[in-house]
Amino acid sequence: MDIARTPSNPDGNPEMADAAMQPKDPPEIRREDYKPFPWIVSETRLDFELGIDCTRVRSTLTVARNAKAEPSPTIRLNGDGIAAIVVTVDGEPSQSWVMDGDDLVLTLPGEAHEIGIETEIDPSANSQLMGLYASGGMLCTQCEAEGFRRITFFPDRPDVLSTYTVRMSGPRAQFPVLLCNGNKTGEGGDGDTHWAEWHDPWPKPSYLFALVAGDLVARSDSFTTMGGREVELNVWVREGDLDRTEHAMESLKRSMKWDEEVFGREYDLDLFNIVAVSDFNMGAMENKGLNVFNTKYVLADPETATDGDYDGVEGVIGHEYFHNWSGNRITCRDWFQLSLKEGFTVLRDQLFSADMGSEPVKRIEDVRVLRGIQFPEDSGPLAHPIRPDSYREISNFYTATVYNKGAEVIRMMRTMAGEEAFRKGTDLYFERHDGEAATCEDFVKAIEDGAGLDLAQFRRWYSQAGTPKVAVELDHEGDTARLALTQTVPPTPGQPDKAPMPIPLKLALIDRKSGTHSGERLVVLDKDTAEFTFDGFADKPALSINRTFSAPVSIDREVSREELVFLAAKDDDPFARYEAMQELMTGHLVAAVSGDLGDNDRQAARSDIAQAMQSVIEDDQLDDLMRGELMAMPGQTYIAERMLVADPGLIHAEREALKADLGKRLSEQFHALYDRAEKVPFSLDAEAKGARKVKTLVLAYAAAGDPAKAAELAAHQYERADNMTDRQGALMVLAGLDSAERTGKLIDFYNRYQGNALVIDKWFALQASSLHPQAIEHVKALRDHPDFTLKNPNRVRSLYMAFAANPAAFHAADGEGYRMIADLILELDPINAQTAARFVPPLGRWRRIEEGRAKLMREALERIAQAPKLSRDTFEQVTRSLG
């Protein structure tokens, strides 16, 4: 699985909202307390009588005692806000059951039984979008992590695997398409009602159950697997969206072929369905044979989708398809093992996207996400290992740590083993654990055995939180270069003391005269300190370290601006070259914010940065996709992470001042680059995508250096644009300027795309994330716009998540940004607790912010914590953030 102001709960049903609320202090679930479930559920049969306002569910469970578990006279079937109408055991009405909170506990005397349960639910009232819910006249499900218990009573845990047979019936006119997991085994109808039966032969946990019923059309195709199986492929959407599904279908076929070639994984059903849904909490869900997707990651054409959207569709479709093996065929024993499937599958989708496009650019994009989201998570109150030891609400652990850092940890194993040996390890993992609910330890052991590695110490990456810091010193004497490395892992909540972890670092020592080196080396720092010596250097070389970002660590070293300028121009590793540019700018900005620069130093630093930037602009060996990465400035969040205590206002001011300075110093070079890029005709190939990328970057630098000229150039680009990337890039720049062109183009954009929800999401987000001095007032006005709703997670995120990620506005000195997000959380929590809880972390970073703003952020959190009937999702995030 891929991670505003009206009266309270205006769009949802009060009874349903209350059902989702839990006690403020839910029990702590601990990994060490895991016990196998005492009953095996070998078969699950479900019968749905579908209706938007009332759906009746009859479930039949075939159960037997689990010889590998402690015996129990009862079976606990989880529920959440549902009630049993009928309970039977072996075909007879049963009175031997009681309700324990939301759960149904049934006494079973024998060794094996058949349990029947009937429930009724109202999908139209389900604003939480978990379980079975209505979305624009259709019915769909989301069951990960604990949504199945909102449909029927069931042992809703990932280690209970069962085969599913499902019968669905409903009004033919309302639900002409009936979809479920697995293969369709029958269909028919009688008058206005029709039915379909589905069977999934592969045992799965309840979180992978899926059902969709609605008025849909499909783009259909087929794929022949390496074993000769002919697989029918369908991408189901609403009729008006069909012409925007070609890229999704092609991405699916590329994913299937790639997984066979790179990991040896073949698809195992006769049918693979993708359904696009407009109301969805996540990006997508990997349900066996029936992937349910947020429309954002299915629909794309040049007029409505940016190059980034195209990449997102391909990457998320790949991610969910790859889950068929790393998540479905082998699933998690318990939710503490979430990174077993998500970390591994993120790595797989990253490798896939790198192979489909530019490997170095993809690597930089992945690291940017890690540093922008996961590093702050690791240094804040919500820090946790990729395999946590406890939780209160599992939905709060769908985090960048579990997903992105989890992927980096597995990537390190691949780096140390080498690609061929790593493949042997993954083959062994799939062979050993196919059809099982496995653990992170099972995965590490398979890599250890298959690749021939000793990973005893490496396992600490799974149990220790925090981003390691590696201090680097390079000395030179005679013809020997001596590299001293020291690692520290900072304290995190519940883990004050850390043991050293193995850190694989790729490095090269570059001759300053020739700009060449004798080869890349891999060193592994597995102690607190270590020293490595390298002979054959008459002069001190330049150090290129953590090449390809071989370890998710923060490098701390004293390096001159002169050396960084050299590395930015000469390093042959694209990521290391990018890193030199980022270090060059970040070091200057940290010093400037800290007050450590005089006027002469400031001008000298800016001159050096401009020199490095010019070398990037004029390097004819670079493609524009990579040039764009090297031209990009470090984000404010990353700059703040390099400081013990950050002042967001000062960081913003210094960053904009540097951007303006570069825009003025390099105006001629920037505009020459723009003129060249503008001549490249539209296509989806790398050259054209790179041209669009650098054009937008030039506009951003021009907007800081010469706003009037930038407004004119951006308006010109907007008017001539024949694709969304150029049009959105121009509007992004205009949205941040106080110019006449701004208002006209925003109105034109809205009128042009009114009715297209995904594009209108962009319109909201562009204004909420803009550098305009009145951004807060603009967000307040947009909250009252007729197209804004709290019921749709995409729309909420487009306005408020974009705002929370806008440091200049969110960190307004008077605290208005914090109050706005707190108001949103309180208003959204009764409607959609999972989405509301995801807005807490930006407020939770108060400990790393200067005193005045920190006080206001904490006050906002305290106000949320005092609210009555707060969901357990939000309550856990707030209390942990307060400490």
Side-chain angles (χ1 to χ4, degrees):
M1 182 168 64
D2 223 40
I3 238 170
R5 206 164 317 153
T6 55
S8 180
N9 195 30
D11 303 311
N13 180 289
E15 288 74 25
M16 193 67 182
D18 285 344
M21 299 300 106
Q22 302 295 330
K24 271 197 171 185
D25 193 14
E28 183 179 44
I29 312 296
R30 298 184 301 174
R31 182 167 56 89
E32 65 183 21
D33 294 336
Y34 170 82
K35 293 180 180 179
F37 193 65
W39 296 86
I40 293 170
V41 185
S42 59
E43 184 179 1
T44 299
R45 299 190 299 281
L46 299 169
D47 188 328
F48 288 85
E49 292 181 14
L50 299 171
I52 292 289
D53 301 316
C54 179
T55 290
R56 181 163 291 225
V57 186
R58 299 179 183 88
S59 63
T60 305
L61 313 181
T62 302
V63 305
R65 294 190 182 277
N66 184 357
K68 297 180 180 179
E70 294 180 11
S72 172
T74 62
I75 185 170
R76 177 175 291 272
L77 304 176
N78 305 119
D80 183 359
I82 59 175
I85 300 172
V86 177
V87 179
T88 64
V89 175
D90 300 326
E92 298 295 329
S94 173
Q95 302 301 321
S96 62
W97 60 276
V98 296
M99 294 299 297
D100 182 12
D102 276 336
D103 294 348
L104 187 153
V105 179
L106 180 64
T107 299
L108 296 178
E111 295 297 310
H113 297 280
E114 187 173 89
I115 301 170
I117 301 174
E118 191 170 324
T119 59
E120 264 188 7
I121 52 180
D122 181 358
S124 68
N126 185 356
S127 66
Q128 301 290 332
L129 309 185
M130 288 291 291
L132 178 67
Y133 65 92
S135 174
M138 64 187 290
L139 293 176
C140 57
T141 57
Q142 170 56 32
C143 293
E144 188 176 357
E146 296 177 342
F148 192 73
R149 64 186 64 187
R150 305 190 71 182
I151 298 172
T152 188
F153 291 97
F154 196 84
D156 192 12
R157 43 187 283 171
D159 61 340
V160 176
L161 308 184
S162 182
T163 59
Y164 283 71
T165 301
V166 180
R167 188 180 194 276
M168 310 157 59
S169 63
R172 188 191 306 269
Q174 189 172 22
F175 308 124
V177 175
L178 303 173
L179 303 173
C180 199
N181 304 93
N183 296 316
K184 185 187 289 187
T185 55
E187 60 184 335
D190 182 13
D192 295 334
T193 300
H194 73 143
W195 57 269
E197 289 183 348
W198 295 78
H199 176 65
D200 186 354
W202 299 100
K204 65 174 179 281
S206 55
Y207 82 84
L208 289 174
F209 172 79
L211 172 158
V212 174
D215 189 1
L216 300 166
V217 294
R219 178 182 292 273
S220 299
D221 208 324
S222 65
F223 180 84
T224 303
T225 70
M226 60 185 181
R229 180 194 293 269
E230 188 80 7
V231 182
E232 178 187 341
L233 309 177
N234 297 297
V235 178
W236 295 91
V237 295
R238 300 189 188 281
E239 187 168 6
D241 293 329
L242 191 61
D243 60 352
R244 293 193 282 159
T245 57
E246 181 181 2
H247 180 62
M249 179 61 79
E250 293 305 311
S251 296
L252 174 58
K253 291 191 291 185
R254 286 193 292 269
S255 301
M256 298 177 81
K257 186 174 187 295
W258 183 89
D259 209 19
E260 290 183 345
E261 293 174 348
V262 177
F263 280 92
R265 298 299 103 196
E266 182 178 2
Y267 189 61
D268 52 8
L269 290 169
D270 301 327
L271 182 64
F272 190 91
N273 285 315
I274 289 174
V275 181
V277 178
S278 57
D279 299 295
F280 205 68
N281 283 337
M282 299 289 189
M285 180 62 210
E286 71 266 19
N287 318 296
K288 182 72 177 177
L290 177 56
N291 285 189
V292 180
F293 271 65
N294 191 317
T295 51
K296 177 180 174 64
Y297 295 107
V298 172
L299 306 180
D301 65 8
E303 175 62 20
T304 61
T306 65
D307 295 334
D309 293 330
Y310 271 88
D311 292 343
V313 168
E314 182 176 70
V316 175
I317 281 181
H319 180 96
E320 305 308 332
Y321 174 75
F322 301 146
H323 265 312
N324 186 62
W325 277 91
S326 51
N328 297 2
R329 286 284 288 261
I330 306 177
T331 192
C332 302
R333 185 196 72 178
D334 53 66
W335 290 122
F336 298 103
Q337 319 299 329
L338 183 58
S339 200
L340 171 76
K341 74 182 185 79
E342 295 300 350
F344 186 26
T345 305
V346 168
L347 174 64
R348 277 152 55 73
D349 83 52
Q350 289 176 349
L351 296 174
F352 165 67
S353 294
D355 284 349
M356 296 301 105
S358 167
E359 182 177 1
V361 169
K362 175 58 179 170
R363 188 64 187 131
I364 290 168
E365 291 172 349
D366 293 337
V367 174
R368 186 183 296 117
V369 171
L370 190 79
R371 286 173 166 171
I373 301 174
Q374 196 280 321
F375 276 23
E377 194 170 86
D378 242 354
S379 65
L382 302 178
H384 56 277
I386 64 172
R387 186 194 58 203
D389 292 319
S390 67
Y391 65 82
R392 295 184 185 273
E393 172 49 57
I394 184 55
S395 65
N396 287 333
F397 275 100
Y398 285 77
T399 63
T401 296
V402 167
Y403 279 64
N404 302 78
K405 185 176 181 178
E408 295 297 326
V409 168
I410 298 173
R411 186 186 288 266
M412 284 190 288
M413 290 189 236
R414 183 172 180 263
T415 296
M416 292 187 295
E419 292 182 23
E420 184 176 340
F422 180 76
R423 168 66 190 272
K424 290 179 181 178
T426 60
D427 284 350
L428 185 59
Y429 168 68
F430 291 125
E431 177 187 331
R432 281 180 178 174
H433 301 290
D434 185 15
E436 295 181 2
T439 66
C440 293
E441 173 59 29
D442 292 329
F443 180 84
V444 176
K445 189 68 170 66
I447 301 299
E448 195 170 44
D449 293 347
L453 292 176
D454 179 357
L455 296 173
Q457 185 185 4
F458 188 86
R459 287 167 170 81
R460 291 173 183 169
W461 279 100
Y462 280 86
S463 59
Q464 293 189 162
T467 301
K469 300 184 186 302
V470 178
V472 178
E473 290 186 10
L474 182 68
D475 294 321
H476 178 263
E477 185 175 350
D479 66 348
T480 299
R482 183 172 289 102
L483 178 65
L485 302 176
T486 302
Q487 69 162 292
T488 56
V489 187
T492 53
Q495 293 186 338
D497 301 309
K498 309 292 177 69
M501 300 189 289
I503 298 174
L505 294 168
K506 291 182 181 179
L507 60 87
L509 298 168
I510 302 175
D511 181 81
R512 293 171 186 266
K513 293 178 182 177
S514 66
T516 62
H517 59 83
S518 60
E520 186 175 80
R521 309 157 196 241
L522 177 68
V523 301
V524 179
L525 173 63
D526 56 6
K527 304 178 180 63
D528 289 326
T529 62
E531 190 174 278
F532 304 88
T533 57
F534 308 94
D535 296 326
F537 294 93
D539 300 305
K540 184 178 181 180
L543 174 65
S544 171
I545 192 166
N546 207 18
R547 292 160 67 87
T548 71
F549 199 72
S550 57
V553 302
S554 177
I555 300 292
D556 181 18
R557 60 173 175 165
E558 292 291 334
V559 57
S560 68
R561 290 201 308 269
E562 178 188 8
E563 183 166 328
L564 290 174
V565 170
F566 170 80
L567 291 170
K570 300 296 185 182
D571 203 318
D572 65 336
D573 178 73
F575 177 81
R577 189 173 180 184
Y578 163 83
E579 188 77 324
M581 284 295 297
Q582 294 289 295
E583 277 192 76
L584 190 59
M585 290 186 274
T586 301
H588 164 67
L589 291 169
V590 169
V593 170
S594 303
D596 296 336
L597 286 182
D599 287 342
N600 290 338
D601 288 339
R602 184 184 298 271
Q603 292 306 314
R606 288 179 175 179
S607 177
D608 287 342
I609 294 169
Q611 178 187 338
M613 186 73 73
Q614 182 170 346
S615 72
V616 167
I617 295 171
E618 297 177 348
D619 186 346
D620 59 8
Q621 298 302 305
L622 281 173
D623 62 75
D624 280 339
L625 280 173
M626 187 63 203
R627 194 187 320 277
E629 296 299 333
L630 295 172
M631 288 169 59
M633 294 189 73
Q636 271 194 229
T637 301
Y638 179 61
I639 298 165
E641 279 296 299
R642 301 295 295 267
M643 309 177 72
L644 290 176
V645 177
D647 184 325
L650 286 177
I651 292 175
H652 176 71
E654 289 290 349
R655 186 176 182 276
E656 288 305 301
L658 175 59
K659 189 195 299 182
D661 185 83
L662 291 171
K664 293 173 183 175
R665 286 177 188 259
L666 299 174
S667 175
E668 182 179 339
Q669 291 86 350
F670 278 137
H671 286 287
L673 174 60
Y674 187 95
D675 290 342
R676 175 182 63 75
E678 194 178 29
K679 293 181 175 66
V680 179
F682 175 82
S683 77
L684 291 174
D685 65 20
E687 180 187 8
K689 289 169 69 175
R692 292 190 287 274
K693 186 179 198 176
V694 296
K695 280 162 59 179
T696 296
L697 280 163
V698 168
L699 285 180
Y701 280 108
D706 188 346
K709 187 172 182 179
E712 181 182 340
L713 188 61
H716 175 72
Q717 176 171 308
Y718 181 93
E719 290 161 1
R720 289 171 51 87
D722 59 359
N723 63 87
M724 178 54 72
T725 305
D726 277 346
R727 183 167 288 117
Q728 178 177 296
L731 191 60
M732 177 196 71
V733 171
L734 287 170
L737 297 175
D738 195 7
S739 67
E741 293 90 347
R742 176 187 187 276
T743 302
K745 294 302 181 283
L746 283 170
I747 292 172
D748 178 81
F749 190 90
Y750 177 82
N751 290 336
R752 183 188 296 257
Y753 297 107
Q754 188 175 7
N756 186 314
L758 292 178
V759 182
I760 296 303
D761 285 341
K762 299 177 189 295
W763 183 77
F764 277 95
L766 285 169
Q767 296 173 78
S769 60
S770 83
L771 296 176
H772 197 282
Q774 299 300 315
I776 287 179
E777 296 307 314
H778 295 159
V779 171
K780 289 179 179 179
L782 289 167
R783 171 61 184 86
D784 295 327
H785 193 280
D787 284 353
F788 184 81
T789 174
L790 288 177
K791 290 184 67 175
N792 181 268
N794 281 358
R795 188 54 47 84
V796 174
R797 288 188 288 259
S798 72
L799 182 61
Y800 281 101
M801 199 59 81
F803 173 75
N806 180 351
F810 175 66
H811 288 292
D814 64 358
E816 182 62 15
Y818 312 143
R819 289 189 289 272
M820 288 170 61
I821 293 299
D823 288 344
L824 169 71
I825 292 169
L826 291 170
E827 189 176 11
L828 185 59
D829 191 58
I831 301 168
N832 189 327
Q834 191 175 116
T835 300
R838 296 188 183 279
F839 285 91
V840 175
L843 292 171
R845 294 175 188 144
W846 59 272
R847 291 172 181 82
R848 300 289 300 277
I849 303 297
E850 57 84 18
E851 185 177 356
R853 288 180 172 87
K855 179 176 181 292
L856 296 170
M857 295 171 80
R858 185 178 176 90
E859 288 174 355
L861 288 168
E862 289 170 343
R863 179 159 65 90
I864 299 168
Q866 292 166 7
K869 292 187 177 180
L870 204 61
S871 72
R872 66 186 186 188
D873 306 64
T874 300
F875 178 76
E876 181 183 32
Q877 294 285 75
V878 171
T879 52
R880 291 179 65 207
S881 295
L882 286 169

